[in-house]
C-alpha cells in the first residue's frame, strides 16, 4: 500500500499578494493530489475561529475533513486540520492539547486501509521554541499510550535543523523526512515543514511542491512524501 502524504501551512488562505483566496488553496491541493493532507493555519485566529476554507469548496474535492475541531465553524484545532480521501474510513479523530505559551495544538486521525490501521497527526509547533520539545514529547506520549500502529506526523515544526533542537526527541525510532526548503514561498530558504514516520513505512520519495500557483497561494510551499506500507 503506497500513500502520498502532504503538509501545507496555508497562512489562513492569504497569499503572498495579500489576498485571501481559498479557491487558490484548493487548486494547489489538486496539484499535489495527496491521499492524506495536514493543513496548518486553516482557521481564523480570532472570534469564532471560522475556517478560511468554506466547506462547500471541499465538497467538490476528493477529500473530506476529519472531525477534529472543538468549535462549530472551525475546520481544525488551533488551525490544524486533516483531509483524507473520501474512500478512507476513519475509526477515531480529534484534537490534542499540547503544552504551550502560544495557541498551538495537534490533531489526530486513525484510519483503516486495506485491512491495516494507521495513525496520522498534524501539528504546528511553537514559534518561540520554548515549548517545542515538550510539544513533540506530548505527541510521542499520545502515540505510545495508544495501540501500536504505523504512524505519520506532519506539520510546520518551526525548527530549522533537521536533527537539532526539538527534533532530537524523535531519536532513531522515527524517520525524519525533510523534503526541502519551503519557507518563504517566494524564495524558500528554511526547511520548517516536515513529515516524520515510524519505521513501519518504506520511504519512496518526497519533495517540495513549487508551482507558480503555490508561490502565490501562501507564504509556505507544500511538502509531500510518498510512503509504502509493506504487506503483513
Amino acid at each position: 500500500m503506497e500513500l502520498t502524504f502532504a503538509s501545507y501551512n496555508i497562512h489562513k488562505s492569504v497569499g503572498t499578494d495579500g489576498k485571501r483566496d481559498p479557491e487558490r488553496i484548493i487548486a494547489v491541493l489538486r496539484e499535489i493530489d495527496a491521499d492524506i493532507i495536514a493543513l496548518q493555519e486553516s482557521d481564523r485566529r480570532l472570534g469564532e475561529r471560522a475556517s478560511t476554507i468554506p466547506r462547500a469548496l471541499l465538497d467538490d474535492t476528493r477529500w473530506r475533513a476529519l472531525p477534529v475541531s472543538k468549535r462549530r465553524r472551525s475546520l481544525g484545532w488551533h488551525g490544524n486540520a486533516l483531509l483524507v480521501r473520501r474512500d478512507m474510513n476513519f475509526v477515531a479523530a480529534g484534537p490534542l492539547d499540547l503544552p504551550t505559551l502560544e495557541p498551538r495544538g495537534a490533531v489526530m486521525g486513525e484510519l483503516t486501509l486495506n485491512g491495516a490501521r494507521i495513525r496520522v497527526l498534524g501539528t504546528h509547533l511553537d514559534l518561540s521554541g520554548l515549548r517545542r520539545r515538550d510539544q513533540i514529547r506530548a505527541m510521542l506520549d499520545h502515540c505510545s499510550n495508544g495501540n501500536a500502529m504505523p504512524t505519520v506526523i506532519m506539520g510546520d515544526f518551526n525548527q530549522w535543523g533537521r536533527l537539532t533542537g526539538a527534533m532530537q526527541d524523535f531519536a532513531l525510532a522515527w524517520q525524519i523526512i525533510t523534503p526541502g526548503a519551503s519557507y518563504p514561498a517566494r524564495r524558500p530558504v528554511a526547511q520548517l515543514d516536515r513529515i516524520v514516520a515510524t519505521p513501519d513505512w518504506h520511504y519512496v520519495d518526497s519533495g517540495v511542491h513549487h508551482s507558480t500557483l503555490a508561490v502565490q497561494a501562501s507564504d509556505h510551499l507544500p511538502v509531500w512524501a510518498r510512503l509504502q506500507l509493506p504487506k503483513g
Side-chain angles (χ1 to χ4, degrees):
M1 181 172 63
E2 189 170 294
L3 297 172
T4 300
F5 296 84
S7 180
Y8 191 14
N9 184 330
I10 65 173
H11 194 229
K12 302 177 183 63
S13 298
V14 176
T16 51
D17 56 3
K19 297 178 181 178
R20 192 186 307 277
D21 189 346
E23 292 187 0
R24 189 164 51 184
I25 295 294
I26 294 293
V28 174
L29 296 181
R30 291 185 193 276
E31 289 180 347
I32 305 167
D33 198 32
D35 299 294
I36 301 173
I37 303 166
L39 299 179
Q40 300 88 50
E41 297 192 23
S42 65
D43 302 325
R44 294 177 184 265
R45 188 73 173 264
L46 303 174
E48 295 182 278
R49 313 287 175 87
S51 171
T52 63
I53 300 178
R55 291 182 182 271
L57 282 182
L58 279 177
D59 289 342
D60 293 329
T61 72
R62 67 186 297 227
W63 307 283
R64 59 174 169 163
L66 293 185
V68 298
S69 64
K70 292 186 178 182
R71 299 180 177 89
R72 183 177 60 84
R73 299 189 62 195
S74 299
L75 189 67
W77 171 238
H78 287 310
N80 296 291
L82 289 173
L83 307 181
V84 301
R85 279 194 344 241
R86 292 185 182 276
D87 62 337
M88 293 180 171
N89 296 318
F90 77 91
V91 294
L96 301 179
D97 291 309
L98 300 183
T100 181
L101 297 175
E102 308 164 10
R104 299 292 191 210
V107 291
M108 177 279 301
E110 293 182 10
L111 311 170
T112 55
L113 304 167
N114 299 334
R117 185 161 173 168
I118 69 170
R119 179 192 293 117
V120 60
L121 282 76
T123 191
H124 189 181
L125 297 187
D126 187 61
L127 181 62
S128 70
L130 296 176
R131 301 305 300 272
R132 210 176 291 149
R133 298 193 79 152
D134 293 334
Q135 290 166 351
I136 288 179
R137 288 168 183 167
M139 289 190 289
L140 294 179
D141 286 345
H142 172 81
C143 294
S144 62
N145 290 335
N147 295 324
M149 67 186 77
T151 299
V152 175
I153 302 176
M154 302 182 280
D156 180 352
F157 285 80
N158 271 319
Q159 181 75 47
W160 280 67
R162 176 177 174 271
L163 298 174
T164 60
M167 303 306 294
Q168 296 178 73
D169 282 271
F170 287 110
L172 299 177
W174 294 73
Q175 306 175 65
I176 300 176
I177 302 167
T178 305
S182 55
Y183 178 83
R186 284 182 170 170
R187 192 169 293 179
V189 294
Q191 303 181 49
L192 306 179
D193 303 289
R194 294 189 173 90
I195 297 170
V196 184
T198 52
D200 311 273
W201 297 94
H202 172 68
Y203 172 85
V204 178
D205 197 9
S206 65
V208 178
H209 183 74
H210 198 296
S211 68
T212 300
L213 198 58
V215 169
Q216 298 173 344
S218 171
D219 61 345
H220 283 246
L221 295 172
V223 300
W224 58 270
R226 194 167 295 119
L227 304 176
Q228 187 179 78
L229 193 61
K231 292 182 179 180

